[in-house]
Amino acid sequence: MQVFTFKANIKAIAGVTVSLLILCLAVFFFVSNHPAESASGKAKELHCKTSGQRLAYLKEFGWETDGNEASKEITIPETFNEVYKNYNSIQRQQGFDLEKYKGKKAVIYTYKITNYKNNKNVIADLIVSGGTLIGADLCDPAAENGFLTELTKNGKT
């Protein structure tokens, strides 16, 4: 059996302690500034369980509504056709990804947008699963060729 010994002075112990403390602080600040990615693909899960939370989310983007909400339960398809692939491409541009929710139930909440340029037919759809926002869009279902786009800040559409 071998026994190893070493002699440490106070400066060496203090140096190691300070180095470890700096390393721990660096890791703490890095982790706190880079939250883990959520299931929605965003750095932070967006809770939209209540109508108030959903309306607040739209307001963050500068959108005003008439306050009324319509909802419809859907099931995200197991296999995406071209329409869903294109729609999911718009979702990925915003940090969402419906691929993760294939086969799962969700609710689409629809709000009439009252301050979209000169167009009074625009609606916002928020797709919520388990109280978490998993998708969003702006569209005009009454337009001749229709339009559907990501949920952008008012004034940048």
Side-chain angles (χ1 to χ4, degrees):
M1 180 163 113
Q2 290 183 325
V3 176
F4 294 100
T5 62
F6 66 93
K7 189 175 184 182
N9 62 28
I10 203 100
K11 286 182 181 178
I13 293 172
V16 169
T17 303
V18 168
S19 296
L20 288 173
L21 181 62
I22 290 171
L23 179 64
C24 288
L25 287 173
V27 168
F28 171 77
F29 286 115
F30 178 80
V31 169
S32 67
N33 288 325
H34 298 85
E37 198 168 272
S38 70
S40 69
K42 291 210 171 270
K44 176 181 157 191
E45 280 192 3
L46 299 167
H47 297 287
C48 286
K49 285 184 180 183
T50 68
S51 182
Q53 289 172 321
R54 292 185 291 274
L55 289 169
Y57 181 73
L58 290 171
K59 191 170 187 137
E60 283 179 34
F61 284 85
W63 298 115
E64 297 172 7
T65 72
D66 60 7
N68 295 321
E69 134 184 315
S71 64
K72 177 181 176 183
E73 188 173 288
I74 62 165
T75 301
I76 309 294
E78 291 276 348
T79 306
F80 287 178
N81 60 19
E82 283 305 307
V83 172
Y84 250 94
K85 286 178 185 175
N86 292 335
Y87 185 71
N88 198 41
S89 148
I90 291 170
Q91 297 310 312
R92 284 196 310 266
Q93 291 172 15
Q94 304 178 94
F96 300 114
D97 189 357
L98 297 177
E99 290 271 344
K100 300 172 185 178
Y101 296 92
K102 283 183 171 181
K104 295 188 179 176
K105 293 194 181 295
V107 178
I108 297 179
Y109 294 95
T110 302
Y111 300 89
K112 183 174 182 173
I113 299 299
T114 58
N115 64 331
Y116 188 92
K117 299 179 184 177
N118 293 326
N119 188 335
K120 298 296 178 195
N121 295 317
V122 174
I123 60 172
D125 290 317
L126 302 180
I127 305 172
V128 177
S129 178
T132 300
L133 186 66
I134 64 169
D137 67 75
L138 288 174
C139 67
D140 179 354
E144 185 175 316
N145 293 323
F147 85 82
L148 184 127
T149 186
E150 65 188 73
L151 186 69
T152 57
K153 290 202 179 280
N154 188 4
K156 295 185 180 179
T157 55

